[in-house]
Amino acid sequence: MKNDPNWNGPGPGPMIDVPDDGGGNGNGNGTGNGTGNGTGNGNGNGNGAPLDFTAATALYNKVGGRVTGKIQAYLDEVHAGMLSGKYSIADAENAFKIVDIQRDQGATGWEGPPPGSDDGSNAPPAGGKDALATIKAILGKYGLESLAGDLWNMHLNKEVDITNEDAIAYVLKDTEPWKTRFAGNVGRKAAGYAELSPSTYIAMEEMYKRVLKANDMPTGFYDNQEALNSLIAGDIDAKEFNDRIGYARSIVYDAPASVRAQMQELYGISEGMLVAHFIDPKQADPLLKEQERTARIGAASLERANMQLTREQATDLAKRGYTEEQAKAGFSDVAALGELKQTLAGEESVTQNEMIGASFGYNTDAQKKLQKNQRRRVAEFEGGGSFAKSQGIGGSTKSGVGGPE
């Protein structure tokens, strides 16, 4: 006895006697004593009585009505082999019974859609309903019902334990639907983070959604699959995500319109994009805070001195640590320079950067330039002191608002 080499189903297949090639079949149905003298199984009973295939054929017909495809072809081969004497009647019956039992257990191969599919072409095998329900329930949680057929066949072939979600993830992770659904794991792997199990992945998604809801973010905002995948890829935990949301809200809803306008001017970030920008896991917190401070400094320059800063100028002041209030004081001093902001013929040229540095107190050379220009103008109009005063050039130039705290 050995596993039938013609078996096309999953598992080891029926145990059956398989004769060597070239042996006699010995289907003795005459009066002889049986001529089966080779290595075949010989259905001849040696007493001249005709062989009775009735019971085996009935079993073959019964089982054949329950299977399709390769399994049906296997049954046909065994039945024909029984009639020709290749297999004994007993071994053929044994093979039919094994296929029937395995069919009942849902363990034989299945052609076409998985059992119980909506097209009604097949009914789930007895004993297989629970396994199929488990597969559908698990994949339904992921929104990956399209993989039910793949997972069902793996289950039938005993390639996966469908009660183990990690095992399911392992066998399905290279399929395109799976990689798309859990795309955050691809990003995590690239960033050196451990991949998340499906259950942990989904729990993280639900956590992000709860934080968004708790912060009154509108439904559909940043809770789409692409955004959730990005958060998971960035390994953003609940506290960090909540902090980012709160920080973004403070800018979008609490900051003056002038600050929001400067985010657009300096960084190209519209008001509608602000929250998404500030909760983007690709943005580091120190950078976010610097961008906000930069926008507030840019707003102060417009408010107090009617001066639109470049991103580089605003960023430089932010990096120097100036607060919004210090920026307002500094640009008030810039505004107080009056006509000194314009360089006249014969004077040393003073750039906008130098005026800012002089007013904020960190560019002493610029302060000296302004003081020199101021003294020159006073000397030229020493007979018209009232005019000089009206132009804001009387007295001395301020030395700046002081350094950051």
Side-chain angles (χ1 to χ4, degrees), residues 6-277:
N6 294 303
W7 174 248
N8 288 315
M15 297 294 291
I16 188 168
D17 282 331
V18 182
D20 295 330
D21 292 336
N25 288 326
N27 276 322
N29 55 8
T31 59
N33 291 322
T35 60
N37 56 6
T39 58
N41 283 331
N43 275 328
N45 58 20
N47 57 15
L51 296 173
D52 186 0
F53 301 108
T54 304
T57 298
L59 184 56
Y60 157 74
N61 290 331
K62 170 180 178 285
V63 177
R66 306 185 66 209
V67 297
T68 59
K70 292 180 180 179
I71 309 305
Q72 180 63 61
Y74 169 77
L75 294 181
D76 293 343
E77 194 280 335
V78 171
H79 185 252
M82 175 188 74
L83 296 177
S84 69
K86 180 179 178 180
Y87 303 128
S88 71
I89 295 174
D91 280 344
E93 284 184 333
N94 183 55
F96 299 153
K97 288 176 182 178
I98 288 174
V99 171
D100 202 32
I101 291 170
Q102 292 185 346
R103 181 66 177 81
D104 281 344
Q105 294 174 342
T108 59
W110 189 274
E111 303 294 322
S117 61
D118 294 337
D119 67 0
S121 61
N122 293 301
K129 291 182 180 179
D130 289 344
L132 182 61
T134 297
I135 288 172
K136 287 185 173 180
I138 291 173
L139 293 180
K141 290 192 304 183
Y142 311 151
L144 289 174
E145 293 88 343
S146 63
L147 292 176
D150 297 48
L151 189 56
W152 173 257
N153 288 330
M154 292 177 186
H155 162 65
L156 295 182
N157 290 331
K158 303 185 184 300
E159 296 172 356
V160 62
D161 176 3
I162 60 172
T163 65
N164 186 328
E165 291 194 20
D166 288 339
I168 290 173
Y170 181 79
V171 298
L172 294 178
K173 68 178 183 179
D174 291 329
T175 64
E176 287 306 316
W178 188 276
K179 287 191 287 189
T180 299
R181 173 61 185 84
F182 297 106
N185 271 337
V186 177
R188 290 180 66 84
K189 186 175 181 181
Y193 299 123
E195 295 183 57
L196 302 181
S197 68
S199 58
T200 302
Y201 196 105
I202 292 173
M204 290 292 290
E205 291 176 334
E206 293 304 314
M207 178 274 293
Y208 294 136
K209 292 177 183 179
R210 287 194 299 272
V211 171
L212 287 166
K213 184 176 181 180
N215 283 276
D216 297 322
M217 293 292 102
T219 301
F221 178 79
Y222 220 76
D223 60 359
N224 60 76
Q225 194 60 55
E226 182 180 356
L228 296 174
N229 289 339
S230 179
L231 291 167
I232 288 174
D235 199 39
I236 307 301
D237 62 27
K239 182 180 183 306
E240 182 178 355
F241 188 53
N242 189 65
D243 289 346
R244 285 174 179 267
I245 291 286
Y247 188 62
R249 280 178 58 85
S250 71
I251 298 172
V252 175
Y253 300 111
D254 300 335
S258 58
V259 174
R260 299 196 296 272
Q262 283 298 295
M263 289 297 295
Q264 169 71 37
E265 178 68 32
L266 298 175
Y267 297 104
I269 303 168
S270 67
E271 185 171 333
M273 297 165 55
L274 278 176
V275 173
H277 174 72

